[in-house]
Amino acid sequence: MTANPLRHTKRLRLAMLAATLLLLLGHYLLPAKIRQLHPAAGVEQIIYGFIDPEQGESNQWVNERESEWVCDYLPTYDYGCGFALVWDRHEVNGIDLSEYDAIRLTLRYQGSADNLRVFMRNYNPHYSMPDDSATTKFMSALFAFREMNANQISVPLNRFAVADWWLREHMERHRWSAVELNNITQIGINFIEPGHHQLRVEKVELVGRWLSTAQMLTWVLVAWMLLFIAEGCLLLWQLYWVAAYNRKRQRALQRRQRSLAIEKASLQKLAHKDPLTGILNRRGAEEHIKRLYQNTYSKAFTAVLLLNLDNFKLINEQFGHDKGDAILKAFSALIQMNLESSDIFARWGSEEFLLVCVAENQQDALYRAEKLRQLTERTHLSPAPGFNVTTSIGVAAIGGSESFQQALTRAGAALQHAKRSGRNRVKYEMA
């Protein structure tokens, strides 16, 4: 405590001088900073395309392990095929590209296309919603296959632009018309020209400098300024180090408490969500229904709808559980897009879903149920051509001082009536 605190500053200045020279030399001599995105752990690869009721999917894997796939893009299709790398199935947590300059692709292509589109999607809570990739900002850039050299192409990030169609979907999005790179949840490529295309994605990399010139000079200047300031403040720091140490420990404890609180809230939220579809599970629905009984059920006509996918066991047996899971997710997403803000929607069983909603009267509740039934039938959630997915719906109203379980039992009876009557229909059970 009594030793001179400035006794080491001369050595520190010499070390700073050597570090500055090394940084200046390294900035221009070091190879580019490269981050490999594919193949890599923690990233999911998907392909997508147009689903023709007669022809089936327009794309398929040739060798998924080697990321090789084909696309049969007919001129009559509304859109083509694509390949994407996904970092988060909920479309929330992505990667930061702001410190890189370009995306480098290593591809092997067979086909007649002249151009290929590279795209990215960025999640921002101001305009995006979890589990809805359509709300993430879509940015893209075109490149011609003739630009490739040895099966590689580097697409500068400053070449990307926000898609006009994404801006036109909602007027408020014009506030966010600039390119954003700080939370990219998807990076992909797709074909915009009809034809037969076969593509193998061998590698996807980010390329940039380890440090920009402006950043480097700023860091050097700040480092020297801090050194000089530190020499003047070192004596004062020696007097206050005990107090600072105690404050640091206190802040660490506060951060730990906040972290535990956040973790607890996150776990509670996960406990109320169905992991496959992302909607409420039975436990989550029961919590919402308790609040519904406390606030609105006695003041409005409240309906209980039980929705059950027809022949779902047959789908799992014939097409596999992966197809079944995909249909469950697509069905729940379809229903969610047609809900009111006050509705309670949950996965109640394997292929059974619960919807509790406030309606004007019995006719309004039946109208909503019939609308959902028709939407399911017309959306063609088919696991294969010629197999159409439908739903049967049982409807009941919560009457008077009746408990939710009583109304649910009647809705279940109505659902069974709909099943026995031939499926793909709506039935109402009176109190």
Side-chain angles (χ1 to χ4, degrees):
M1 294 292 291
T2 59
N4 181 8
L6 301 178
R7 65 187 185 279
H8 298 302
T9 57
K10 185 176 180 179
R11 292 180 182 177
L12 186 57
R13 288 183 183 181
L14 290 174
M16 283 284 292
L17 180 60
T20 301
L21 293 175
L22 287 174
L23 187 60
L24 290 171
L25 290 173
H27 179 68
Y28 295 102
L29 297 179
L30 284 177
K33 178 175 67 172
I34 296 175
R35 177 180 176 182
Q36 183 168 312
L37 301 180
H38 174 75
V43 60
E44 180 182 2
Q45 61 176 4
I46 61 171
I47 58 175
Y48 61 89
F50 186 79
I51 300 178
D52 189 305
E54 298 180 356
Q55 302 292 331
E57 295 184 356
S58 60
N59 63 306
Q60 61 180 346
W61 288 109
V62 175
N63 188 335
E64 185 173 1
R65 186 180 182 87
E66 299 295 332
S67 302
E68 185 172 358
W69 53 285
V70 294
C71 169
D72 289 306
Y73 181 7
L74 300 182
T76 56
Y77 290 172
D78 294 338
Y79 51 87
C81 314
F83 168 94
L85 301 175
V86 181
W87 280 267
D88 180 8
R89 290 186 178 182
H90 298 294
E91 301 289 344
V92 174
N93 300 311
I95 58 175
D96 188 356
L97 275 60
S98 58
E99 295 183 357
Y100 294 87
D101 301 322
I103 297 176
R104 185 164 67 193
L105 305 169
T106 304
L107 310 171
R108 291 191 180 275
Y109 171 70
Q110 299 178 28
S112 58
D114 295 323
N115 301 292
L116 192 64
R117 178 167 62 185
V118 185
F119 69 86
M120 301 183 293
R121 287 186 175 275
N122 190 83
Y123 178 90
N124 184 327
H126 289 94
Y127 53 76
S128 305
M129 295 181 63
D131 300 305
D132 188 357
S133 63
T135 60
T136 55
K137 182 180 291 186
F138 187 91
M139 300 162 288
S140 64
L142 284 178
F143 74 86
F145 281 106
R146 64 175 180 272
E147 299 178 52
M148 296 185 67
N149 182 19
N151 296 320
Q152 282 192 344
I153 179 70
S154 289
V155 184
L157 294 180
N158 59 14
R159 192 165 158 181
F160 283 79
V162 180
D164 290 338
W165 59 262
W166 187 86
L167 295 172
R168 289 196 301 267
E169 281 186 348
H170 297 285
M171 288 300 298
E172 62 269 19
R173 288 182 179 174
H174 286 274
R175 297 171 49 206
W176 307 95
S177 59
V179 171
E180 290 181 77
L181 303 172
N182 63 317
N183 192 20
I184 299 298
T185 57
Q186 283 191 30
I187 294 178
I189 51 181
N190 56 27
F191 291 101
I192 58 174
E193 302 170 51
H196 178 80
H197 312 289
Q198 183 165 340
L199 184 68
R200 184 167 70 193
V201 183
E202 294 185 346
K203 193 177 291 186
V204 179
E205 301 168 301
L206 296 175
V207 182
R209 283 185 174 272
W210 290 98
L211 198 64
S212 69
T213 302
Q215 286 177 319
M216 180 195 63
L217 294 176
T218 300
W219 284 19
V220 169
L221 180 61
V222 169
W224 280 100
M225 289 179 63
L226 288 175
L227 176 62
F228 296 138
I229 294 173
E231 290 178 358
C233 295
L234 197 56
L235 288 173
L236 291 175
W237 173 258
Q238 191 175 29
L239 298 175
Y240 291 102
W241 74 270
V242 174
Y245 175 74
N246 290 334
R247 288 196 298 271
K248 183 178 179 180
R249 290 193 61 186
Q250 185 179 6
R251 287 195 297 268
L253 288 173
Q254 291 173 346
R255 286 196 298 268
R256 179 60 178 165
Q257 289 174 343
R258 288 195 295 268
S259 177
L260 290 173
I262 293 172
E263 184 178 354
K264 179 181 177 182
S266 177
L267 290 173
Q268 288 177 339
K269 183 177 180 181
L270 288 174
H272 290 77
K273 292 286 187 179
D274 175 54
L276 176 65
T277 61
I279 63 175
L280 293 172
N281 58 18
R282 182 186 288 259
R283 181 178 177 182
E286 289 172 346
E287 291 294 326
H288 282 70
I289 291 167
K290 287 180 182 178
R291 291 195 289 270
L292 176 71
Y293 260 72
Q294 293 170 359
N295 299 327
T296 64
Y297 94 99
S298 61
K299 302 176 184 178
F301 185 92
T302 304
V304 178
L305 283 67
L306 274 178
L307 302 85
N308 188 281
L309 291 175
D310 298 325
N311 299 312
F312 189 74
K313 182 178 179 182
L314 182 62
I315 293 173
N316 278 334
E317 292 175 351
Q318 290 191 2
F319 305 103
H321 288 278
D322 288 344
K323 282 287 187 181
D325 289 348
I327 289 173
L328 288 173
K329 290 191 284 187
F331 175 75
S332 63
L334 173 68
I335 301 301
Q336 284 185 92
M337 289 188 291
N338 293 274
L339 296 180
E340 301 291 339
S341 60
S342 60
D343 293 346
I344 301 171
F345 181 53
R347 187 179 178 190
W348 201 247
S350 175
E351 68 271 19
E352 192 168 78
F353 294 80
L354 172 73
L355 173 60
V356 180
C357 59
V358 176
E360 294 183 2
N361 47 45
Q362 174 184 334
Q363 289 73 24
D364 186 32
L366 289 172
Y367 170 79
R368 290 196 62 186
E370 179 62 22
K371 177 184 176 183
L372 297 178
R373 185 199 67 78
Q374 292 182 14
L375 278 171
T376 305
E377 184 178 23
R378 295 172 182 172
T379 304
H380 301 297
L381 305 173
S382 59
F387 196 113
N388 194 23
V389 176
T390 59
T391 182
S392 299
I393 304 175
V395 184
I398 301 175
S401 60
E402 184 181 34
S403 69
F404 168 75
Q405 188 59 45
Q406 291 173 314
L408 179 64
T409 300
R410 288 190 290 103
L415 175 60
Q416 293 303 315
H417 187 192
K419 291 286 188 180
R420 290 193 301 269
S421 300
R423 299 186 177 89
N424 191 24
R425 61 197 65 222
V426 175
K427 291 296 181 180
Y428 182 84
E429 184 75 12
M430 298 290 292

